Amino acid sequence: MLKINTNFQKLPGSYLFSAIAKKIENYKNANPDKDIIRLGIGDVTRPLTKSVIDALHTSVDEMAHEETFRGYAPDLGYSFLREAVAKNDFEKRGCDISADEIFVSDGAKCDSGNIQELFSLDNTVGVCDPVYPVYVDSNVMAGRAGDYIADLSKFSNITYMLCSAENNFAPNLPEVMPDIIYLCFPNNPTGATMKKSELQKWVDAANASKSVIIYDAAYEAYIREDDVPHSIYECNGAKTCAIELRSFSKTAGFTGLRLGYAVVPKDLIMDGCSLHDMWARRHGTKYNGAPYIVQRAGEAVYFAQGQEEVKGLVNYYMQNCDTILNGLKDTNLKLFGGINAPYIWLKTPDNMTGWDFFDFLLEKANVVGTPGEGFGPGGNGYFRLTAFGKHENTVEAVKRIRSVL
Amino acid sequence: MLKINTNFQKLPGSYLFSAIAKKIENYKNANPDKDIIRLGIGDVTRPLTKSVIDALHTSVDEMAHEETFRGYAPDLGYSFLREAVAKNDFEKRGCDISADEIFVSDGAKCDSGNIQELFSLDNTVGVCDPVYPVYVDSNVMAGRAGDYIADLSKFSNITYMLCSAENNFAPNLPEVMPDIIYLCFPNNPTGATMKKSELQKWVDAANASKSVIIYDAAYEAYIREDDVPHSIYECNGAKTCAIELRSFSKTAGFTGLRLGYAVVPKDLIMDGCSLHDMWARRHGTKYNGAPYIVQRAGEAVYFAQGQEEVKGLVNYYMQNCDTILNGLKDTNLKLFGGINAPYIWLKTPDNMTGWDFFDFLLEKANVVGTPGEGFGPGGNGYFRLTAFGKHENTVEAVKRIRSVL
């Protein structure tokens, strides 16, 4: 008789954004005439740029002719893209990462969820609290998280590293380093960053304890301040302790196109094994590469025109951050983030929970954000607004929020 | 200290097709002037068809404009595609499968590798022998396969269901049904099929033992005989015991475009849990949907023109099967398959191993096939040729093989 993976049953409720979608749908059904502005899910709204569109059309035409048709992509990605990534995202920043340490994927969400397969089930896991839910949920499904403690909204085997106003939303180094540490900076959801000197301490501690850091840098393109590292490999010794995950979703608007990559350095030898070789094996066995046309679109982002266009996208969204920060600064909301990340993290008024504030904004202002609790117990009483809306909608949302506070 | 997932170390050697690629590369480096014909890896060679190309261009243009741009796809796939699949692949064949039982993915390889995540690690697993390596390898990585017994080329906890000339390469029902049973028909690599009445016995046995059948129907488009089922849901009771995996790769030449789907019926309740809900949760947490433009390309396959084009592709490749079967029938090779599948499975001459025959054909005829051992110990002494080459290459390959036998 088949036995199911009972770890799935430990997951409380449904995935955050599915739960939010359901709430919005219910509200819309009851109030079909209301115009809702969504600053909730971190999905982009600007169309793909000209370079990317041109690269897609050109490569689609290649697929129409026998001489230029491409079948299976190389498991680990086409060289043209891996080389463009190594050169532009790492070499130009002084990071010694080679093309064959880049593993092209269909996005950082998949990589975030799958990377834990490389590790034994009896490792300890540390996550920032609050944080993007995939790190915890994928470890729960695998059976590494222990049991859910409903009173605390925590799993028994996960170390929750609190990120609060007191530590500028960058966690303190734990007294005992977990074996697997997820860090996401610039952070989703708080928009916080770590300076290079701070991140160096984590790298040193991970090397000392032989822990691995999964560094999610999906938002690095939004960094506007100079002393904030774009890659963990800007720190000395990161190649022996860190995997970095990157995405084209937020950088170049690829949420609907699906492209990302993981960096697994060859120097990353853990427990006597090369994580680079293990990830290559994982890709070879369970993955079949990102579409050729999408990899060509990714390559186009690195050409001179593509780089200019991407800057334009980032500036557009960061202008929304400025609109929200300036528009709400003299209210009773305490605002964080929005300087080096496309997220505004705010303390709810009157000790409301994040879900209460979600319902309040949805019903009174017809504005959707994301309740902080969705990102972990440390998000209780906080709320996330994203900068990914259309500018005119963002202006209107700020006006509406001000009017109901 | 981080501990790795030591199950990875149990995998013998590298992934089959990576090993073959390396052998070819070595031969080419030593013999740069030789013209090698590849009938090895099952990759298509015909360009994408007009309907698909048109759908790609149209949807790429949508992505260029704010009004029609699409961000994140629905986790489980766009309705337009799920509905087209349900109607054309199931309703038209009398199978009662609804659109919301279709889970769109980036291909059957990923689904084949990921589906085992739904099941407890202490289930027993049964696979056809020989068979597509992903089923075993993904269970090894998860820790469900036990230890590798080098003498037998088998894993201790896997039930290998022998497929040989004696049973027409369709396995006998095991005396004790494994909890998880992988069936792939039309079969990769043998090209064998199961008649509906045979498959019905498996469905009945799985329902009786409360086992789950993972039915890989990636090659159903190649079926030419009437009494061969295209879907397991043509059998009574399959909705309570079977998951079906499908692919656009071989049907419509999407190997480089990446699109497939899994069917997980709502009636599939196992161990008290809905596998449909579990797979939805898995998709929601660890996957972000197939690209919009690729889903539109998939939809185009179901329109009248697309269906005609796909028939043309299939006929082109099946003509290659006929060329191989007719061209080699009076040799000392015993030939199987090639009637309802794009694979020819042959018994090597003179009791050569599959790898010996691989080296022999590569060196003497400059033709690449796939050694049977790559698909499991039951493949020893067999060899696979695919019909996915260009027709003129297939004709030439047959000529060369004849000349060296």
Side-chain angles (χ1 to χ4, degrees):
Chain A
M1 195 191 106
L2 184 90
K3 295 161 284 293
I4 61 134
N5 176 356
T6 53
N7 294 306
F8 273 61
Q9 296 171 314
K10 297 179 182 172
L11 288 167
S14 61
Y15 182 67
L16 171 63
F17 294 109
S18 317
I20 290 173
K22 210 161 276 179
K23 264 184 183 272
I24 298 171
E25 201 187 326
N26 291 344
Y27 182 80
K28 280 189 84 166
N29 288 342
N31 304 274
D33 57 317
K34 297 290 186 185
D35 168 40
I36 294 172
I37 299 178
R38 294 164 191 253
L39 302 180
I41 192 164
D43 196 2
V44 298
T45 51
R46 304 300 302 157
L48 294 177
T49 65
K50 183 167 184 316
S51 300
V52 169
I53 293 292
D54 290 348
L56 285 169
H57 280 306
T58 304
S59 55
V60 166
D61 283 332
E62 287 180 60
M63 298 292 275
H65 301 284
E66 188 177 320
E67 307 73 39
T68 49
F69 173 78
R70 309 267 191 144
Y72 287 122
D75 295 332
L76 312 183
Y78 278 104
S79 298
F80 62 76
L81 180 58
R82 301 172 85 190
E83 279 161 18
V85 165
K87 184 175 162 193
N88 290 281
D89 286 346
F90 297 98
E91 192 186 313
K92 283 190 179 167
R93 294 199 181 276
C95 302
D96 178 25
I97 295 293
S98 62
D100 60 357
E101 294 173 315
I102 308 295
F103 294 76
V104 176
S105 77
D106 61 333
K109 183 179 180 186
C110 300
D111 284 341
S112 297
N114 295 334
I115 196 76
Q116 48 78 30
E117 293 180 23
L118 302 188
F119 313 127
S120 166
L121 293 181
D122 58 0
N123 287 293
T124 54
V125 175
V127 295
C128 292
D129 176 27
V131 85
Y132 180 53
V134 172
Y135 315 140
V136 170
D137 288 359
S138 57
N139 277 290
V140 172
M141 287 170 161
R144 211 176 275 104
D147 292 313
Y148 189 65
I149 308 164
D151 292 351
L152 303 174
S153 303
K154 288 184 177 183
F155 284 89
S156 56
N157 289 351
I158 302 268
T159 301
Y160 293 80
M161 308 182 296
L162 188 65
C163 299
S164 62
E166 286 66 42
N167 58 15
N168 288 316
F169 300 97
N172 305 328
L173 268 180
E175 288 184 28
V176 178
M177 287 284 279
D179 302 317
I180 305 167
I181 297 157
Y182 291 85
L183 295 177
C184 172
F185 289 99
N187 187 261
N188 174 10
T190 68
T193 54
M194 268 198 203
K195 291 198 194 327
K196 191 170 155 183
S197 56
E198 289 177 279
L199 186 57
Q200 182 67 54
K201 289 178 199 161
W202 285 82
V203 168
D204 294 342
N207 274 319
S209 62
K210 299 191 189 303
S211 302
V212 68
I213 295 173
I214 311 298
Y215 193 73
D216 183 346
Y219 299 96
E220 64 80 30
Y222 292 84
I223 294 171
R224 294 193 282 190
E225 293 181 325
D226 282 341
D227 53 351
V228 177
H230 288 248
S231 165
I232 196 169
Y233 303 113
E234 294 179 37
C235 295
N236 293 324
K239 284 170 68 177
T240 54
C241 69
I243 289 169
E244 184 163 300
L245 309 181
R246 292 278 192 103
S247 170
F248 288 73
S249 288
K250 310 304 162 74
T251 312
F254 275 38
T255 54
L257 215 49
R258 312 306 315 140
L259 193 67
Y261 64 85
V263 186
V264 190
K266 291 186 194 157
D267 290 350
L268 193 52
I269 310 293
M270 291 262 167
D271 194 10
C273 285
S274 161
L275 295 190
H276 178 277
D277 293 352
M278 288 178 73
W279 192 237
R281 184 67 197 251
R282 198 268 171 208
H283 257 45
T285 301
K286 296 170 78 170
Y287 184 57
N288 238 333
Y292 171 68
I293 58 177
V294 174
Q295 293 195 51
R296 280 291 183 202
E299 179 193 28
V301 170
Y302 292 106
F303 297 148
Q305 193 198 332
Q307 288 287 290
E308 278 308 305
E309 291 167 354
V310 163
K311 266 185 214 156
L313 284 179
V314 167
N315 288 343
Y316 179 94
Y317 294 128
M318 290 312 280
Q319 187 193 359
N320 287 340
C321 276
D322 297 342
T323 297
I324 299 170
L325 288 175
N326 290 328
L328 299 179
K329 71 182 170 192
D330 57 353
T331 65
N332 60 344
L333 300 172
K334 264 189 245 164
L335 306 170
F336 306 94
I339 306 296
N340 298 299
Y343 295 120
I344 310 285
W345 185 242
L346 57 86
K347 182 84 195 74
T348 58
D350 308 325
N351 291 319
M352 290 170 90
T353 68
W355 279 114
D356 285 345
F357 194 62
F358 175 92
D359 292 334
F360 171 78
L361 279 195
L362 175 61
E363 287 162 25
K364 303 295 178 194
N366 300 146
V367 171
V368 171
T370 311
E373 295 91 329
F375 301 99
N380 192 3
Y382 286 90
F383 197 77
R384 190 189 76 173
L385 292 173
T386 89
F388 290 121
K390 294 179 187 169
H391 186 62
E392 54 274 28
N393 287 349
T394 308
V395 171
E396 170 67 15
V398 167
K399 212 172 93 184
R400 291 193 198 165
I401 295 171
R402 284 186 67 94
S403 75
V404 299
L405 285 176
Chain B
M1 194 191 105
L2 183 91
K3 293 161 286 294
I4 61 135
N5 175 356
T6 53
N7 294 308
F8 274 61
Q9 296 171 314
K10 296 179 182 172
L11 288 167
S14 60
Y15 181 66
L16 172 63
F17 295 108
S18 317
I20 290 174
K22 211 162 276 179
K23 264 185 183 271
I24 299 172
E25 201 186 328
N26 290 345
Y27 181 80
K28 282 189 84 165
N29 288 341
N31 304 275
D33 56 319
K34 297 290 187 188
D35 168 39
I36 295 172
I37 299 178
R38 294 164 191 252
L39 303 181
I41 191 166
D43 196 2
V44 298
T45 51
R46 304 301 302 157
L48 294 176
T49 64
K50 183 165 185 315
S51 300
V52 169
I53 292 292
D54 289 349
L56 285 169
H57 280 308
T58 303
S59 55
V60 166
D61 282 334
E62 287 181 59
M63 298 292 275
H65 301 285
E66 189 177 317
E67 306 73 38
T68 49
F69 173 78
R70 308 269 190 144
Y72 289 121
D75 294 332
L76 311 184
Y78 279 104
S79 298
F80 61 77
L81 180 57
R82 301 173 85 189
E83 280 160 17
V85 166
K87 185 176 163 195
N88 290 280
D89 287 345
F90 297 99
E91 192 187 315
K92 283 190 181 168
R93 294 200 181 278
C95 303
D96 178 27
I97 295 293
S98 63
D100 61 356
E101 294 173 312
I102 308 294
F103 294 75
V104 176
S105 76
D106 62 334
K109 184 178 179 185
C110 300
D111 284 341
S112 297
N114 295 334
I115 196 77
Q116 48 78 30
E117 292 180 25
L118 302 188
F119 313 127
S120 166
L121 293 182
D122 57 2
N123 287 294
T124 54
V125 175
V127 296
C128 293
D129 177 26
V131 84
Y132 181 51
V134 172
Y135 315 140
V136 170
D137 289 359
S138 58
N139 277 291
V140 172
M141 288 170 160
R144 212 176 274 107
D147 292 313
Y148 188 65
I149 308 164
D151 292 350
L152 303 175
S153 303
K154 290 184 175 182
F155 284 89
S156 57
N157 288 352
I158 302 267
T159 300
Y160 293 79
M161 307 182 296
L162 188 66
C163 300
S164 63
E166 286 66 42
N167 57 15
N168 288 318
F169 300 97
N172 306 329
L173 268 180
E175 287 184 28
V176 178
M177 287 284 281
D179 302 318
I180 306 167
I181 296 158
Y182 291 86
L183 294 178
C184 172
F185 289 97
N187 187 261
N188 174 11
T190 67
T193 54
M194 267 198 205
K195 293 201 195 321
K196 192 170 155 183
S197 56
E198 291 177 279
L199 186 57
Q200 183 66 54
K201 290 179 199 161
W202 285 82
V203 168
D204 294 342
N207 275 320
S209 63
K210 298 190 189 303
S211 302
V212 69
I213 295 173
I214 312 298
Y215 193 72
D216 183 345
Y219 298 96
E220 63 79 27
Y222 291 86
I223 295 171
R224 295 192 281 189
E225 294 181 324
D226 281 342
D227 53 351
V228 177
H230 288 248
S231 165
I232 196 167
Y233 303 113
E234 294 179 35
C235 296
N236 293 326
K239 285 170 70 177
T240 54
C241 70
I243 289 170
E244 183 163 299
L245 309 181
R246 291 278 192 104
S247 169
F248 288 73
S249 287
K250 310 304 162 72
T251 313
F254 275 37
T255 55
L257 215 49
R258 312 305 316 138
L259 193 66
Y261 64 85
V263 185
V264 190
K266 290 187 195 154
D267 289 350
L268 193 52
I269 310 294
M270 290 263 167
D271 194 10
C273 284
S274 160
L275 296 189
H276 178 277
D277 292 352
M278 288 178 73
W279 191 238
R281 184 66 197 250
R282 197 270 170 205
H283 258 44
T285 300
K286 298 171 79 170
Y287 184 58
N288 237 333
Y292 171 67
I293 56 176
V294 175
Q295 294 194 51
R296 280 290 184 203
E299 180 193 29
V301 170
Y302 292 106
F303 297 149
Q305 192 197 333
Q307 288 287 293
E308 278 307 304
E309 292 167 354
V310 163
K311 268 185 214 154
L313 284 179
V314 167
N315 288 343
Y316 179 95
Y317 294 128
M318 291 313 280
Q319 186 193 2
N320 287 340
C321 277
D322 297 342
T323 297
I324 298 172
L325 288 175
N326 290 328
L328 299 179
K329 70 181 169 192
D330 56 353
T331 65
N332 59 344
L333 300 173
K334 263 187 243 163
L335 306 170
F336 306 95
I339 305 296
N340 298 299
Y343 295 120
I344 309 287
W345 185 243
L346 58 86
K347 182 84 194 73
T348 58
D350 307 325
N351 291 318
M352 290 170 90
T353 68
W355 278 114
D356 284 345
F357 194 64
F358 175 92
D359 291 335
F360 171 78
L361 279 194
L362 175 60
E363 286 162 26
K364 303 295 178 196
N366 299 147
V367 171
V368 172
T370 311
E373 295 92 327
F375 300 100
N380 192 3
Y382 286 91
F383 197 76
R384 190 189 75 174
L385 292 173
T386 88
F388 290 122
K390 294 176 187 170
H391 186 62
E392 54 274 29
N393 288 349
T394 307
V395 171
E396 169 66 16
V398 167
K399 211 173 94 186
R400 288 193 201 167
I401 295 172
R402 285 186 67 91
S403 73
V404 299
L405 285 177

